[in-house]
C-alpha cells in the first residue's frame, strides 16, 4: 500500500489574517511612539538654534600686553575695570589693614589725626553712629585725662566666604593708662568684623571703598592665647612676621 503525500500537507502553514493584521498594528504603534518622542527633541533643537542665532557675535580683542579678552567685557586691571573699587582682593585687604592700623593706633598727641583719617574712610551713617558713641562715652576726654595710648597688633585677617567684601581680623590692642603716676597696660584680644562697600573711584575716594560696618568682639579661652602669642601680620604680604619685637606679648 502506497502512502500518498498531498501538496497541502508539504507546504508551510499560512498565518491567519488576524495575525498579519496584529503585526502591522504593532509596527505602526511603534512608529507613532517614535514620532511623538521626536517632537520635543525637534522643538528643543529649534529653540536652541533660535537662541544661538539671536546672540550677538563674540569678538576677541588683544590687549596692549598681548592678553586676549572679549570685547564689551574689559580685561581685569584695565581702566574701566579699575573705575570701581572692590575688584581687587589684595587692595581691599590693604584698605582694611590701613583702617585698623589708623583707628586702633593712637596717643593723646595724634589721636585726632588718626581718627579723622579713619572716620573719613567710613560711610556717612557709620560715621555718625561712631561720633555719637564717642561723644556719649567721652572717649576723647578720657584719652587726655588718663594719657591713654593704644598700640594695635594685627595677627590674622581673612575673608568671610559667604559675604562679599566682608573681613574678619584678629588682633591684640595694648592700652596704656597713666593714673596718679602709675602706668597700667591692658591686653585686649578681639575679633574685628569689617564690611566694605564699593563705590566709583574719585579724587575724594581714590580707593573706591567705604567701611560700611565695623564691630569688635572680645575673645576668650584657648583662641585668645593662640592669637596673643601669634606673630604680627606683615603689611607686605599678610603672612610674614614684622619682627621678633612684636612677636610675643604674653610675657
Amino acid at each position: 500500500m502506497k502512502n500518498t503525500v498531498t501538496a497541502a500537507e508539504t507546504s508551510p502553514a499560512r498565518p491567519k489574517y488576524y495575525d498579519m493584521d496584529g503585526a502591522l498594528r504593532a509596527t505602526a504603534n511603534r512608529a507613532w511612539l517614535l514620532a511623538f518622542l521626536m517632537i520635543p527633541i525637534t522643538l528643543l533643537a529649534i529653540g536652541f538654534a533660535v537662541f544661538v542665532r539671536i546672540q550677538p557675535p563674540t569678538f576677541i580683542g588683544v590687549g596692549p600686553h598681548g592678553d586676549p579678552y572679549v570685547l564689551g567685557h574689559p580685561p581685569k586691571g584695565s581702566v574701566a575695570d579699575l573705575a570701581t573699587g572692590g575688584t581687587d582682593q589684595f587692595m581691599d585687604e590693604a584698605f582694611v589693614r590701613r583702617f585698623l592700623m589708623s583707628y586702633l593706633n593712637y596717643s593723646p598727641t595724634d589721636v585726632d589725626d588718626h581718627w579723622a583719617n579713619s572716620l573719613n574712610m567710613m560711610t556717612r551713617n557709620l560715621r555718625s553712629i561712631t561720633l555719637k558713641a564717642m561723644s556719649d562715652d567721652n572717649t576723647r576726654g578720657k584719652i587726655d585725662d588718663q594719657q591713654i595710648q593704644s598700640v594695635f597688633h594685627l595677627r590674622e585677617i581673612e575673608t568671610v566666604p559667604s559675604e562679599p567684601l566682608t573681613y574678619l581680623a584678629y588682633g591684640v590692642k595694648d592700652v596704656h593708662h597713666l593714673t596718679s603716676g602709675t602706668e597700667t597696660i591692658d591686653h585686649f584680644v578681639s575679633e574685628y568684623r569689617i564690611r566694605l562697600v564699593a563705590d566709583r573711584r574719585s579724587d575724594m575716594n581714590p580707593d573706591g571703598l567705604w567701611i560700611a560696618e565695623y564691630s569688635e568682639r572680645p575673645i576668650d579661652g584657648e583662641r585668645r592665647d593662640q592669637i596673643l602669642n601669634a606673630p604680627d601680620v606683615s603689611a607686605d604680604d599678610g603672612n610674614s612676621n614684622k619682627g621678633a619685637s612684636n612677636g610675643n606679648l604674653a610675657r
Side-chain angles (χ1 to χ4, degrees):
M1 180 177 178
K2 295 184 179 180
N3 293 330
T4 348
V5 179
T6 63
E9 293 176 350
T10 57
S11 62
R14 298 178 58 184
K16 305 297 182 180
Y17 72 92
Y18 46 80
D19 293 334
M20 296 293 295
D21 184 67
L24 291 174
R25 288 182 178 274
T27 305
N29 291 338
R30 286 195 293 267
W32 278 110
L33 178 61
L34 182 62
F36 280 116
L37 290 177
M38 293 300 296
I39 290 176
I41 298 176
T42 305
L43 294 177
L44 182 63
I46 294 175
F48 181 74
V50 172
F51 175 78
V52 173
R53 183 65 178 175
I54 63 177
Q55 294 297 313
T58 301
F59 295 95
I60 305 298
V62 180
H65 302 290
D67 300 326
Y69 65 93
V70 179
L71 293 181
H73 298 79
K76 187 176 181 179
S78 65
V79 176
D81 181 62
L82 296 178
T84 304
T87 58
D88 190 310
Q89 183 177 352
F90 179 81
M91 297 177 64
D92 300 343
E93 185 175 318
F95 183 82
V96 172
R97 289 203 305 265
R98 191 166 75 248
F99 168 77
L100 291 173
M101 301 306 291
S102 176
Y103 188 59
L104 301 176
N105 280 298
Y106 56 83
S107 66
T109 57
D110 61 12
V111 61
D112 293 329
D113 293 335
H114 280 230
W115 281 1
N117 293 333
S118 302
L119 291 170
N120 287 333
M121 300 171 73
M122 300 179 181
T123 58
R124 291 184 180 180
N125 47 346
L126 180 60
R127 189 184 312 157
S128 301
I129 295 173
T130 305
L131 287 173
K132 185 178 184 304
M134 289 180 176
S135 177
D136 295 342
D137 191 53
N138 191 26
T139 306
R140 184 64 182 88
K142 292 178 181 178
I143 293 176
D144 286 335
D145 295 340
Q146 303 179 27
Q147 289 297 295
I148 297 176
Q149 181 179 357
S150 175
V151 180
F152 178 67
H153 303 272
L154 180 62
R155 299 299 203 224
E156 299 177 12
I157 184 169
E158 60 186 24
T159 59
V160 180
S162 58
E163 302 180 32
L165 296 179
T166 302
Y167 290 82
L168 291 179
Y170 303 89
V172 181
K173 184 170 64 173
D174 299 335
V175 180
H176 302 251
H177 303 266
L178 188 62
T179 305
S180 300
T182 302
E183 182 189 30
T184 58
I185 303 176
D186 297 323
H187 301 299
F188 296 96
V189 181
S190 304
E191 173 192 272
Y192 302 88
R193 181 184 179 89
I194 302 100
R195 183 177 66 85
L196 306 178
V197 61
D199 193 7
R200 292 192 63 83
R201 302 179 191 273
S202 62
D203 294 337
M204 298 296 296
N205 185 14
D207 294 297
L209 295 168
W210 300 99
I211 304 292
E213 292 180 9
Y214 169 81
S215 62
E216 54 184 83
R217 178 180 64 88
I219 299 177
D220 298 323
E222 296 182 359
R223 180 59 172 158
R224 180 184 187 276
D225 297 335
Q226 179 184 1
I227 296 176
L228 191 63
N229 293 283
D232 285 2
V233 171
S234 172
D236 297 330
D237 55 13
N239 294 318
S240 59
N241 302 339
K242 278 186 176 180
S245 60
N246 295 334
N248 192 340
L249 298 176
R251 61 179 184 274

